[in-house]
Amino acid sequence: MASKLDSLHPADVADILEALPLDQRLDVWELVKVERDGDILLEVSDAVRQTLIADMNSDELLAAAEQLDTDELADLAPDLPKDVLQDLLDNLDAQNRARLQSALSYSEDAVGAIMDFDIVTIREDITLEVALRYMRRLGSLPDHTDKLFVVDRNEILRGVLPLKLLVVSDLDAIVSDIMSDDAVTFHPEDIADEAAKAFERYDLVTAPVVDVNNKLVGRVTVDAVMDLIREEAESDMLSMAGLREEEDFFASVWKSVQNRWAWLAINLVTALVASRVIGLFEGSIEKIVALAALMPIVAGIGGNSGNQTTTMIVRGLALGQVASHNMQSLITKELGVALLNGLLWGGVLGVIATAKSAFTAVTCIKIIYYVKLRLHHGHND
Amino acid sequence: MASKLDSLHPADVADILEALPLDQRLDVWELVKVERDGDILLEVSDAVRQTLIADMNSDELLAAAEQLDTDELADLAPDLPKDVLQDLLDNLDAQNRARLQSALSYSEDAVGAIMDFDIVTIREDITLEVALRYMRRLGSLPDHTDKLFVVDRNEILRGVLPLKLLVVSDLDAIVSDIMSDDAVTFHPEDIADEAAKAFERYDLVTAPVVDVNNKLVGRVTVDAVMDLIREEAESDMLSMAGLREEEDFFASVWKSVQNRWAWLAINLVTALVASRVIGLFEGSIEKIVALAALMPIVAGIGGNSGNQTTTMIVRGLALGQVASHNMQSLITKELGVALLNGLLWGGVLGVIATAKSAFTAVTCIKIIYYVKLRLHHGHND
């Protein structure tokens, strides 16, 4: 079992852990080698990560964290106990400590929170041959390296040199002649979601992150962006159902109720409002009780068509397609749709209700006729 | 205006077109250079693409399509008029015609539909120096090339050689010694969504697509995967609101109603069922009309907590976290949550209803007392 776990990718081990109830999950977690703990903690969801960390002592946590890069540590840090985090910071060298502290200082939805520090830089005045020799001396490049960052001696970004240009260009060419100097760059304070859109739009694999002075401070990679897109989509889905956050599938009933109660409370308030409105018409309902039976239909159709419009507009706002210049025509259009829907479904409901009451009336007449007939028969008997 | 459009990235032009009402959109579309039409058609949404294509004649469409790669043509083909598509096929050389036809033969959610044919292959028995010389002779590599595909003379995939290994390794090394032979590969029939998950999981930038004989037929790139993830997330959002497809913001009212009616019709049917259930209790409602006012609260809380559970389970199924071995404990947990929610919100509602009726009773008593008092006074006057 342990050796089988060792042969699996951290993401696959994470999946197994997610799908297990708490006690079995911790049993499996015990079997995972210490040096892989860090990578797996990065892959599991926040909720599951907390259950795993709660089961580890400080030494185990420190050992796991030591296997990670600074940017990975930054992802893990918010879930670590304070004393472990302090020990970690003490163990880091000055550069990495500064990086970790700055990464932790950005808000969760800023580019600074998703950037990493695996940057390979070269100077602009060397030939490609020299650059290639430098690469070979490095011996390996970080994952996702699709471009080298060209900087001057003050780490100011001058341009980027894609690997695919490096390998096809003449070896005697100078870096500054080959590099592209209009690369898409980000600032650590930029909104991560905007950066993600730029990645999709311009089909990026990595992009440099620079400070206000254009000094290179890190990079964003497409895998971090993809994780972000997936997380955003999921949190949109969850919040549409009023779930506050990703829920550990095997969280206690009590924890689940805590995650879900706020939305239900809001709903209770709106439902109370609806109930007051209905209260205004108690007189009418008292006269025709069938009206009460028609209420859920009106509420359902109204709610759902409103929901459709909301979804459309929210999506348009997210994509930047709704702006002041087209507001007028959008409102006109949605009012038109609402009117048509109202006529259509009101009509359908009217036909159904009429048919039903006509049916009732016919039944009544039949019964009266039948009773009459019986009476008549009775007379004749 | 036209020159400003020329300086923009196709994705940015697409955004502008999306945000314009139909007549203005077509005016701007006229200003776009013919050779850029194809790229922009690829970037706009399906709904907007149809409005643009409807405005172009066959010659314009052919000219636009000629600028595109085979895999891009395949994305566009379903929206093209039949005769234009036939002309296009006739103009292609044999290899590209075969590729386009095979790309069109895969279902929309298969890997075959998102793969492209921009593959650079090398042999395994050459040195890296020879490989680099070959690259330099090619002069350029396709976008997103992060690895070369190593094939034998029958195009059978032997392994992959990441560019980042190519640039750091010894020039005298043989490709087969450096390449990795356990790369993640896909088949054209694989489900695209599964491939997307593998891209996220294993942090891929490109991956080879092979047929049953392991013959290389194409590749999948991370930008296609990102588009897929975004589209899936959006279509999930839209279908949660019962919208059948992405809607052109400036579609006619009638088109919008067509997009939305099916969900509303389903809703009408379920609401009719709810109305029948309420009909069963007409007797009780007739006695206590206040019950009618409480109905939306019961329906609201019930519907929303059900929605939360559904969202959780659907998400779990999508992530593969719900399986037969944990079904039992999930059902127990959700029943627990339901019980707790029922007690909680039932209790809250009970308190509110009691308070309200107590308030009414107190008001009644006050009125009676007041009337009595008045009568008493009247007597005394």
Side-chain angles (χ1 to χ4, degrees):
Chain A
M1 176 77 183
S3 70
K4 204 177 158 193
L5 280 173
D6 286 344
S7 67
L8 289 175
H9 190 279
D12 296 319
V13 180
D15 263 15
I16 294 175
L17 292 170
E18 298 264 352
L20 287 174
L22 190 59
D23 47 346
Q24 296 175 37
R25 183 188 295 158
L26 296 181
D27 289 344
V28 172
W29 185 232
E30 288 292 318
L31 296 177
V32 174
K33 285 227 179 80
V34 170
E35 64 265 29
R36 302 189 72 208
D37 282 2
D39 284 328
I40 295 168
L41 283 176
L42 286 175
E43 296 282 349
V44 294
S45 64
D46 286 352
V48 170
R49 185 187 295 163
Q50 282 160 15
T51 67
L52 297 179
I53 286 181
D55 187 54
M56 298 168 78
N57 62 39
S58 301
D59 289 340
E60 287 173 326
L61 281 172
L62 271 178
E66 269 161 17
Q67 306 292 325
L68 300 176
D69 291 339
T70 314
D71 63 297
E72 294 171 332
L73 272 183
D75 293 340
L76 210 56
D79 292 322
L80 292 177
K82 280 231 170 71
D83 54 324
V84 175
L85 187 56
Q86 194 51 54
D87 280 355
L88 263 177
L89 281 169
D90 294 342
N91 287 349
L92 289 174
D93 61 47
Q95 187 191 34
N96 279 319
R97 184 161 48 232
R99 281 174 171 175
L100 180 53
Q101 278 166 336
S102 88
L104 290 176
S105 70
Y106 296 113
S107 86
E108 219 182 314
D109 54 2
V111 166
I114 61 165
M115 73 178 179
D116 68 55
F117 307 101
D118 297 330
I119 40 185
V120 179
T121 58
I122 54 172
R123 295 267 182 274
E124 61 180 323
D125 53 0
I126 59 174
T127 63
L128 297 194
E129 180 158 23
V130 174
L132 275 169
R133 216 181 306 138
Y134 171 61
M135 299 292 108
R136 254 173 253 129
R137 219 165 39 232
L138 280 181
S140 81
L141 295 177
D143 282 344
H144 286 99
T145 303
D146 71 323
K147 49 174 77 87
L148 307 172
F149 301 118
V150 184
V151 295
D152 67 15
R153 62 188 66 240
N154 296 317
E155 300 281 299
I156 305 295
L157 186 73
R158 309 285 303 172
V160 298
L161 178 65
L163 285 189
K164 74 192 194 67
L165 282 184
L166 179 63
V167 299
V168 299
S169 303
D170 190 5
L171 288 180
D172 297 327
I174 306 291
V175 167
S176 59
D177 293 336
I178 306 289
M179 74 181 190
S180 98
D181 49 12
D182 62 348
V184 179
T185 62
F186 301 105
H187 294 293
E189 306 80 22
D190 287 350
I191 296 165
D193 196 39
E194 295 295 322
K197 278 188 196 144
F199 263 74
E200 287 180 74
R201 170 162 303 212
Y202 306 117
D203 294 342
L204 304 173
V205 175
T206 65
V209 180
V210 296
D211 68 11
V212 281
N213 302 317
N214 210 31
K215 188 176 155 189
L216 184 66
V217 293
R219 65 165 190 169
V220 179
T221 60
V222 71
D223 61 315
V225 167
M226 248 193 315
D227 289 347
L228 183 81
I229 293 175
R230 177 72 76 179
E231 268 164 34
E232 297 249 312
E234 269 174 16
S235 97
D236 283 354
M237 288 276 277
L238 291 178
S239 46
M240 270 176 90
L243 296 164
R244 283 203 291 188
E245 56 178 28
E246 221 176 340
E247 200 172 283
D248 174 3
F249 252 102
F250 303 97
S252 66
V253 167
W254 182 235
K255 271 212 151 176
S256 299
V257 170
Q258 281 179 307
N259 189 27
R260 305 183 194 179
W261 78 269
W263 182 248
L264 295 178
I266 294 171
N267 188 258
L268 182 69
V269 173
T270 59
L272 279 172
V273 173
S275 125
R276 292 308 291 257
V277 173
I278 292 169
L280 297 177
F281 298 93
E282 270 188 5
S284 317
I285 295 173
E286 210 155 1
K287 273 177 233 150
I288 317 165
V289 184
L291 283 179
L294 294 177
M295 274 169 19
I297 304 181
V298 175
I301 295 281
N304 277 283
S305 55
N307 219 355
Q308 292 183 331
T309 303
T310 316
T311 307
M312 287 290 304
I313 301 294
V314 166
R315 198 176 144 273
L317 285 169
L319 297 176
Q321 284 172 8
V322 175
S324 52
H325 71 273
N326 56 29
M327 205 77 91
Q328 184 67 43
S329 59
L330 266 180
I331 292 175
T332 315
K333 180 195 149 192
E334 288 302 325
L335 283 177
V337 174
L339 187 69
L340 207 57
N341 267 333
L343 287 173
L344 180 64
W345 301 111
V348 170
L349 190 54
V351 168
I352 293 174
T354 313
K356 206 179 137 191
S357 71
F359 177 77
T360 316
V362 168
T363 314
C364 275
I365 292 168
K366 273 193 187 151
I367 290 172
I368 293 168
Y369 188 74
Y370 177 77
V371 170
K372 252 190 172 169
L373 218 70
R374 291 291 301 189
L375 287 173
H376 199 68
H377 268 274
H379 268 294
N380 284 3
D381 281 346
Chain B
M1 175 77 183
S3 70
K4 201 175 158 195
L5 279 175
D6 286 344
S7 67
L8 289 175
H9 190 279
D12 296 319
V13 180
D15 261 16
I16 294 175
L17 292 171
E18 297 265 351
L20 288 174
L22 190 59
D23 47 345
Q24 295 176 37
R25 183 187 296 159
L26 296 181
D27 289 345
V28 171
W29 185 231
E30 288 292 320
L31 295 176
V32 173
K33 285 226 180 81
V34 170
E35 64 265 30
R36 301 188 73 207
D37 283 1
D39 284 327
I40 295 166
L41 283 177
L42 286 176
E43 297 281 350
V44 295
S45 64
D46 286 351
V48 170
R49 185 187 295 162
Q50 281 160 18
T51 67
L52 298 177
I53 287 182
D55 187 54
M56 298 167 79
N57 63 36
S58 301
D59 289 340
E60 288 172 326
L61 280 172
L62 271 177
E66 268 162 17
Q67 307 290 328
L68 300 177
D69 291 339
T70 315
D71 62 296
E72 294 171 332
L73 273 182
D75 293 339
L76 209 57
D79 292 323
L80 293 176
K82 279 233 171 67
D83 55 323
V84 174
L85 186 57
Q86 194 52 55
D87 281 356
L88 262 177
L89 280 168
D90 293 344
N91 287 349
L92 289 174
D93 61 45
Q95 187 191 33
N96 278 320
R97 184 158 52 232
R99 281 174 171 175
L100 180 54
Q101 277 165 337
S102 87
L104 289 176
S105 69
Y106 297 113
S107 86
E108 219 183 310
D109 54 4
V111 166
I114 61 166
M115 73 179 178
D116 67 56
F117 307 101
D118 296 331
I119 40 186
V120 179
T121 59
I122 54 171
R123 294 269 182 274
E124 61 181 322
D125 52 1
I126 59 174
T127 64
L128 297 193
E129 180 156 26
V130 175
L132 275 169
R133 216 180 304 138
Y134 171 61
M135 299 292 108
R136 254 172 252 130
R137 220 166 37 234
L138 280 181
S140 80
L141 296 177
D143 282 343
H144 285 102
T145 302
D146 71 324
K147 49 174 76 87
L148 307 171
F149 301 119
V150 184
V151 294
D152 68 14
R153 62 187 66 242
N154 296 316
E155 298 281 301
I156 305 295
L157 186 73
R158 308 285 303 173
V160 299
L161 179 65
L163 285 190
K164 73 190 192 71
L165 282 184
L166 179 63
V167 298
V168 299
S169 304
D170 189 6
L171 287 180
D172 298 327
I174 306 291
V175 167
S176 59
D177 293 336
I178 306 288
M179 74 182 190
S180 97
D181 49 10
D182 62 346
V184 180
T185 62
F186 301 104
H187 295 291
E189 306 82 21
D190 287 349
I191 297 166
D193 195 38
E194 295 294 321
K197 279 188 197 145
F199 263 75
E200 287 181 74
R201 171 162 303 211
Y202 307 118
D203 293 342
L204 303 173
V205 175
T206 66
V209 180
V210 295
D211 68 10
V212 281
N213 302 317
N214 211 30
K215 189 177 155 188
L216 184 67
V217 293
R219 65 164 191 168
V220 178
T221 61
V222 71
D223 61 317
V225 166
M226 248 194 316
D227 289 348
L228 183 81
I229 293 175
R230 177 72 76 179
E231 268 164 34
E232 297 248 312
E234 268 175 15
S235 99
D236 283 353
M237 288 277 277
L238 292 178
S239 46
M240 270 177 91
L243 297 162
R244 285 203 291 187
E245 56 179 28
E246 221 174 341
E247 198 172 283
D248 176 2
F249 252 102
F250 303 95
S252 66
V253 168
W254 181 234
K255 270 212 152 177
S256 298
V257 170
Q258 281 179 306
N259 189 26
R260 305 183 193 179
W261 77 270
W263 181 248
L264 295 178
I266 293 171
N267 189 259
L268 183 69
V269 173
T270 58
L272 279 172
V273 173
S275 126
R276 293 308 292 257
V277 173
I278 292 169
L280 295 177
F281 296 94
E282 270 188 6
S284 317
I285 295 173
E286 209 155 1
K287 272 176 235 149
I288 318 166
V289 184
L291 283 179
L294 294 178
M295 274 170 16
I297 304 182
V298 175
I301 295 282
N304 277 286
S305 56
N307 218 355
Q308 292 184 331
T309 303
T310 316
T311 307
M312 287 290 304
I313 300 294
V314 166
R315 198 176 145 274
L317 285 169
L319 297 175
Q321 285 172 7
V322 175
S324 52
H325 72 273
N326 56 29
M327 206 76 94
Q328 183 68 43
S329 59
L330 267 179
I331 292 176
T332 314
K333 180 194 149 192
E334 287 302 325
L335 283 177
V337 174
L339 188 68
L340 207 57
N341 267 333
L343 287 173
L344 180 64
W345 302 111
V348 170
L349 188 54
V351 168
I352 294 175
T354 311
K356 205 179 138 191
S357 72
F359 177 77
T360 316
V362 168
T363 315
C364 275
I365 292 169
K366 273 192 187 152
I367 292 172
I368 292 169
Y369 187 76
Y370 177 78
V371 170
K372 252 191 171 167
L373 219 69
R374 291 291 301 189
L375 286 175
H376 198 70
H377 269 274
H379 268 289
N380 283 4
D381 283 343

